[in-house]
Amino acid sequence: MYGSMTKRADAALIGAGPAGLAAAAYLARAGWKTVIIDKNSPGGTARQLELIENYPGFPDGIPGKELMRRFVRQARRWGARFVRARARGVRRRGSDFAVGTTAGNWECRALLLCSGARFKDLGLANEKTLEGILHGAFDEAPRLRGRDVAVAGGGEAAVHQALLLSRYAREVTLICRGPALKAMRRLQSALLRRPNIRTLTRSVVAGLRGKKKLAAVLVRDLKTGKISRLKTSSLFVLIGKTPRTGLSLFRKKSPGFFSAGDIHSGRFRQTAIAAGDGIRAAMACEKYLRGNR
Ligand SMILES: Cc1cc2nc3c(=O)[nH]c(=O)nc-3n(C[C@H](O)[C@H](O)[C@H](O)COP(=O)(O)OP(=O)(O)OC[C@H]3O[C@@H](n4cnc5c(N)ncnc54)[C@H](O)[C@@H]3O)c2cc1C
């Protein structure tokens, strides 16, 4: 299918976040020819985290970048091959898999999908086209010095982002659908100590205004139904995540196909869980490879 320049591996992994990296290290160490494909630098979402304070074994915390550097080193040490490319499609070829990427094609006996999860959209018409709307947590705070910014969401990621932004922004408005924030108590206490963060509970983003750039957010109060206009050029959307399953053409039971990490961890999306899940998938994959020589 994918042309004559196809390379072969025993196992191909899509996604080099903690799940993919842990699985790659395990499989390569077990002696299988392993390739790990990612469209970005290895490390996934965890690489972007300033400090991971709850990964076991690091009592003082560890920057996400450093932790992921160690994961990469470990996978490389056992011979895992890293490919920087976007996986465009996967399909079955007999008992094997064919993986088409932006940098060539691979055939493999086992496929592990570790492509993580992405932040959900609000579902508003001009959400994708207006400048100033970011889906996810980004270290944009210094650029927003003195501005008024909005954050949609009430969970850990949203509250964390609001705290980060409040160091520079004039005012941060946190728009939370539920009656209370869901973030852990420590973050909520920190929030109360920041006078420039305003929290609107039982409220949702009902509309976006602006021509090319965002100019204002319409906020609906779910108690009264009243809509108010919030002037801002920046909105961070952190209302939950949804698995990146676009490439997952196979049912869970397809022989030789495995998945791990945030792609199916539901509410339990954490670095250590993703890494552990990567190992679980790699062990299942290793058993499959042995049994299907
Ligand atoms: C704001 C925020 C704060 C967090 N804080 C913490 C914390 O304090 N502690 C903690 O333990 N965890 C935290 N997490 C969670 C942690 O980052 C994730 O659970 C973990 O990174 C999931 O690992 P993963 O390997 O499943 O997916 P990811 O890390 O998301 O990696 C998926 C990889 O797949 C790649 N990919 C996707 N599609 C393709 C494709 N088609 N082709 C090629 N590559 C592709 C992506 O580029 C990415 O590198 C936080 C997450 C967020 C968003």
Side-chain angles (χ1 to χ4, degrees):
M1 163 188 81
Y2 284 121
S4 55
M5 294 296 287
T6 301
K7 296 176 252 342
R8 273 202 71 84
D10 293 315
L13 295 91
I14 300 173
L21 290 169
Y26 187 94
L27 286 167
R29 180 171 173 267
W32 301 103
K33 191 174 171 195
T34 303
V35 61
I36 181 160
I37 300 160
D38 201 302
K39 57 188 174 182
N40 299 312
S41 302
T45 311
R47 186 175 180 271
Q48 295 158 23
L49 304 176
E50 197 179 318
L51 190 68
I52 302 182
E53 291 177 318
N54 52 3
Y55 194 89
F58 296 94
D60 304 318
I62 178 164
K65 211 170 177 174
E66 174 55 25
L67 183 62
M68 289 302 102
R69 213 182 346 247
R70 295 180 188 210
F71 272 52
V72 172
R73 225 172 72 205
Q74 197 168 7
R76 277 199 207 285
R77 179 183 163 212
W78 295 106
R81 176 164 173 187
F82 283 73
V83 171
R84 175 89 176 254
R86 187 169 64 81
R88 287 199 289 215
V90 288
R91 53 192 273 197
R92 207 98 227 188
R93 187 185 254 179
S95 60
D96 289 352
F97 296 88
V99 183
T101 84
T102 47
N105 309 311
W106 286 85
E107 249 180 32
C108 53
R109 292 172 51 211
L111 181 69
L112 280 84
L113 192 61
C114 307
S115 48
R118 63 169 182 82
F119 281 98
K120 286 183 190 165
D121 301 336
L122 292 162
L124 297 172
N126 43 358
E127 185 175 350
K128 292 281 168 64
T129 50
L130 279 179
E131 247 174 68
I133 302 166
L134 295 166
H135 297 81
F138 298 91
D139 192 7
E140 295 276 304
R143 200 179 57 77
L144 298 170
R145 189 182 290 277
R147 306 263 188 93
D148 290 341
V149 299
V151 178
E156 219 112 296
V159 173
H160 189 266
Q161 185 68 15
L163 287 166
L164 200 74
L165 292 166
S166 70
R167 290 195 222 151
Y168 296 90
R170 194 184 73 91
E171 186 178 67
V172 182
T173 305
L174 191 55
I175 304 159
C176 166
R177 173 187 283 274
L181 297 171
K182 286 195 207 135
M184 65 172 76
R185 271 158 73 181
R186 189 178 61 78
L187 286 182
Q188 295 204 36
S189 313
L191 200 83
L192 292 174
R193 292 195 296 271
R194 298 284 170 89
N196 62 339
I197 302 181
R198 178 168 69 116
T199 304
L200 306 176
T201 53
R202 290 193 209 273
S203 300
V204 293
V205 176
L208 305 164
R209 293 290 177 265
K211 284 212 173 92
K212 234 178 115 197
K213 290 186 180 170
L214 178 70
V217 166
L218 302 184
V219 182
R220 177 181 292 123
D221 183 322
L222 295 174
K223 291 175 299 246
T224 62
K226 212 180 121 206
I227 291 194
S228 55
R229 191 182 169 98
L230 175 71
K231 235 177 108 187
T232 180
S233 56
S234 294
L235 169 68
F236 292 81
V237 182
L238 295 139
I239 55 169
K241 294 182 104 182
T242 182
R244 265 197 219 103
T245 47
L247 290 165
S248 174
L249 305 172
F250 312 104
R251 295 290 136 237
K252 274 189 181 146
K253 290 271 181 278
S254 188
F257 175 73
F258 307 91
S259 57
D262 272 13
I263 193 166
H264 63 56
S265 299
R267 286 183 53 223
F268 303 104
R269 293 193 171 113
Q270 286 284 286
T271 307
I273 293 175
D277 201 33
I279 304 279
R280 178 202 51 77
M283 289 177 84
C285 178
E286 142 89 340
K287 192 170 166 221
Y288 172 82
L289 288 169
R290 272 177 199 259
N292 292 275
R293 268 179 204 276

